[in-house]
Amino acid sequence: MTKPADPFTISVIQASLVSAADEMFAVLKKTAMSPIIYEVLDVGTGITDARGELVSSGAGIPTFVGVLDKAVKRIVELHGFEAIRDGDCYVTNDPYYGGVTHLNDVVIALPVFAHGELVAWTASIAHWNDLGGMTPGSMAVDVSEIFQEGLRLPAVKLFENGQPLRSVFDIIAANSRLPDFVNGDLWAQVAASRKAESRVRQLVESYGLAAYRAALADLFEEGERRGLAGLATLPEGTFTVEEEQDDGALWRAAITVSKERFVVDLSGNPQQRAAPYNTSRDGAVISAQMIFKALTDPTLFANAGSFRALEVITEPGTIFHATGTAPHGYYFETRIRLYDMLWRCMARAMPERLPAGHFASICGTVIAGDHPDSGRRFTMVEPQMGGWGATATRDGLDAMYSASHGETFNCPVEICEARYGLDVGYKRLRDSGEGKGLHAGGRGMETSYRLRAPAIMSAGYSRARQPVWGANGGADGGVNGLAVRHPDGSRQDYTFASGVRLQPGDEVLVGTANGGGWGRTPA
């Protein structure tokens, strides 16, 4: 008879799994070729159990961590447990095949075997700078189907019996404008998975399968318990929100809170579009997971048990549950708009607890061209920072990344100028005076990129017409904006754009919104 695992052993195994996910993150950061990965940290790492239930996660973008378990589950669904072997490794980037996001975000998932059994998966996701498609950077706005957005990798094997499938590697390289970079980033993700694989195997060999499984069961139960405990602190009832978007579309949501369930109902929203502004159902679930986690248990790392009390209702064929061949290139703006709307819904119900709105856009800015000094092709992918909302007790935070973008960083000016051949004219806090209140919203940013050589720009900015919302009587925080100023002084403003041709002397001007104010300004 196997002796049950003691609490100390269970705790050691759980802590080791967290460390393994963090180690994955460190390996990926240290070995990737692209600044969007090693500087900005546009990545996520995690470990799931054999079925794809999230066990632990490393640092990185919160929405990315929510992708990994869903990607693994889809891989298992498509291939079946019986077809998965030790030494295999899978790749997916397609939202209809477990990729969840858009084609630039590539998931590498490796099954971990111990004592002849599948016991875990080690998985990572990272933004690759170019996977083909209509425009450099693979983020075109003038698309109507996912086929136009780049190479689709439908949860296929990348390795079999420990050996790389060279044909898959060749297909990936041949479809990218930056083959050296995608190949280097791919191998960095493989290395990260292999490092965590060795850690999980060591755990099972040291403590046995029974203790390992007991530790996972305990972990999930603890996540559920903490989620329910946090849920009990929320006001019960049904809370609704309707919000007009920049394009005039009306979005709506209803959140029903009880002691046992947190239900997010996204019924009645606009139909999916023949444009790259859709998200998968899994993407909508991730937005709801982030809200639920922030409200119920913001301190403990997430695992599958954390979300057992959450239910999300979507309608197939809508922008929050795209089907068929709808494109997803700018899914992140739709997802962050959804996250922000759900946050606004609960902030109205709990104004003393939740802050006002933040700039709530990735403000993704992609500039691609040939380096003016070396001639080497480059693609800059730069998310922007903006202001966060004020709270009942303090002003908002200045120059932060969006709330769904997590532990990411701006690319240092020195790296940007060296790798891309741009001049960064300035990065400074915005002094617009918007977002006033009893407590003021945090300040957004103003940034200038000056071109030294011809290039092509793509960008996606939401909250460009509908301003950041204030709370409890606080003022709105303004809007995000992007413009190109030419040497002759003429200027064009953009929100979503691709294929914009830039010439030497052009200046790309970025302005991100202040956060919303909280409370009325004293008379």
Side-chain angles (χ1 to χ4, degrees):
M1 183 176 180
T2 304
K3 182 180 178 181
D6 62 87
F8 298 102
T9 298
I10 285 177
S11 180
V12 167
I13 293 172
Q14 292 172 349
S16 299
L17 289 167
V18 175
S19 296
D22 285 337
E23 195 169 7
M24 284 183 74
F25 184 85
V27 169
L28 186 48
K29 176 183 176 182
K30 293 292 186 182
T31 58
M33 285 190 64
S34 300
I36 187 65
I37 298 177
Y38 68 73
E39 290 288 353
V40 178
L41 306 182
D42 198 346
V43 300
T45 59
I47 296 172
T48 77
D49 70 3
R51 296 172 297 133
E53 299 291 345
L54 185 65
V55 172
S56 63
S57 58
I61 296 177
T63 57
F64 273 6
V65 173
V67 167
L68 298 175
D69 57 335
K70 299 167 184 60
V72 170
K73 288 177 182 178
R74 184 70 168 131
I75 290 169
V76 171
E77 177 188 351
L78 290 169
H79 293 271
F81 280 111
E82 66 283 351
I84 298 166
R85 299 283 187 269
D86 194 3
D88 290 347
C89 183
Y90 295 83
V91 59
T92 186
N93 70 340
D94 193 306
Y96 301 109
Y97 292 87
V100 178
T101 58
H102 64 170
L103 301 185
N104 287 86
D105 296 333
V106 181
V107 175
I108 301 292
L110 187 150
V112 180
F113 285 77
H115 301 308
E117 295 188 38
L118 176 61
V119 298
W121 291 77
T122 61
S124 67
I125 180 170
H127 184 107
W128 290 8
N129 282 344
D130 191 282
L131 275 166
M134 295 174 65
T135 192
S138 310
M139 291 173 61
V141 299
D142 52 341
V143 298
S144 58
E145 295 180 293
I146 196 170
F147 305 111
Q148 299 165 303
E149 295 189 305
L151 176 66
R152 302 174 70 187
L153 297 164
V156 295
K157 281 185 181 180
L158 186 65
F159 285 76
E160 190 170 53
N161 297 321
Q163 298 300 313
L165 298 176
R166 290 297 175 188
S167 56
V168 179
F169 281 75
D170 291 345
I171 290 169
I172 292 171
N175 277 274
S176 175
R177 298 174 179 89
L178 300 166
D180 292 346
F181 284 88
V182 297
N183 191 57
D185 294 339
L186 185 159
W187 278 105
Q189 288 183 255
V190 171
S193 269
R194 285 177 170 172
K195 174 57 72 174
E197 176 193 27
S198 69
R199 299 303 189 216
V200 174
R201 281 180 168 166
Q202 288 171 0
L203 282 175
V204 176
E205 290 167 2
S206 297
Y207 300 105
L209 268 175
Y212 173 80
R213 288 174 174 151
L216 297 193
D218 180 83
L219 190 72
F220 296 150
E221 290 171 7
E222 175 69 4
E224 182 178 21
R225 184 191 67 76
R226 292 176 66 110
L228 288 171
L231 189 57
T233 69
L234 305 182
E236 294 189 63
T238 297
F239 311 98
T240 61
V241 63
E242 286 189 345
E243 187 175 84
E244 183 179 343
Q245 302 303 306
D246 286 348
D247 62 358
L250 186 66
W251 293 5
R252 54 180 58 87
I255 298 176
T256 301
V257 181
S258 67
K259 296 299 183 186
E260 295 80 27
R261 302 294 286 170
F262 187 96
V263 181
V264 177
D265 188 348
L266 299 176
S267 302
N269 277 292
Q271 294 297 298
Q272 67 188 46
R273 299 176 59 185
Y277 312 120
N278 306 288
T279 188
S280 62
R281 170 179 160 76
D282 281 341
V285 169
I286 290 170
S287 290
Q289 286 179 324
M290 290 178 59
I291 295 294
F292 180 77
K293 192 72 169 64
L295 293 175
T296 61
D297 182 28
T299 57
L300 185 71
F301 60 88
N303 64 61
S306 304
F307 305 110
R308 286 177 177 169
L310 173 66
E311 179 182 351
V312 181
I313 299 170
T314 60
E315 293 179 334
T318 62
I319 55 169
F320 300 134
H321 189 158
T323 59
T325 60
H328 290 246
Y330 285 89
Y331 81 94
F332 46 84
E333 292 301 312
T334 298
R335 190 178 303 177
I336 196 171
R337 297 260 44 80
L338 172 58
Y339 168 87
D340 187 63
M341 184 174 72
L342 297 177
W343 189 267
R344 187 177 192 176
C345 182
M346 294 308 297
R348 290 172 175 171
M350 300 184 293
E352 300 293 328
R353 182 170 167 183
L354 300 183
H358 76 310
F359 78 110
S361 175
I362 304 301
C363 296
T365 309
V366 180
I367 299 176
D370 294 333
H371 196 291
D373 299 326
S374 67
R376 188 175 188 182
R377 181 174 286 180
F378 72 88
T379 299
M380 182 193 87
V381 184
E382 186 76 66
Q384 305 293 330
M385 299 176 288
W388 277 22
T391 76
T393 59
R394 60 165 174 78
D395 292 345
L397 301 174
D398 300 331
M400 301 290 289
Y401 278 113
S402 68
S404 69
H405 224 223
E407 298 178 62
T408 49
F409 295 87
N410 64 299
C411 186
V413 169
E414 297 83 358
I415 298 294
C416 181
E417 293 185 335
R419 294 298 297 268
Y420 309 133
L422 308 175
D423 285 337
V424 181
Y426 53 78
K427 282 180 178 281
R428 63 195 183 200
L429 292 174
R430 188 175 188 179
D431 289 316
S432 67
E434 294 163 311
K436 292 182 178 179
L438 177 63
H439 298 288
R443 288 182 290 177
M445 289 282 292
E446 293 178 341
T447 302
S448 161
Y449 300 108
R450 295 172 181 163
L451 276 296
R452 297 173 51 212
I456 295 176
M457 182 180 75
S458 300
Y461 284 52
S462 61
R463 274 274 181 253
R465 295 188 178 92
Q466 295 294 331
V468 175
W469 50 273
N472 208 40
D476 291 342
V479 297
N480 304 307
L482 173 71
V484 175
R485 184 165 59 201
H486 302 292
D488 63 3
S490 62
R491 170 180 170 139
Q492 283 83 43
D493 293 312
Y494 299 96
T495 53
F496 288 87
S498 60
V500 177
R501 295 193 175 276
L502 305 174
Q503 298 299 326
D506 286 345
E507 186 176 17
V508 177
L509 302 171
V510 173
T512 58
N514 291 355
W518 193 99
R520 298 188 185 280
T521 304

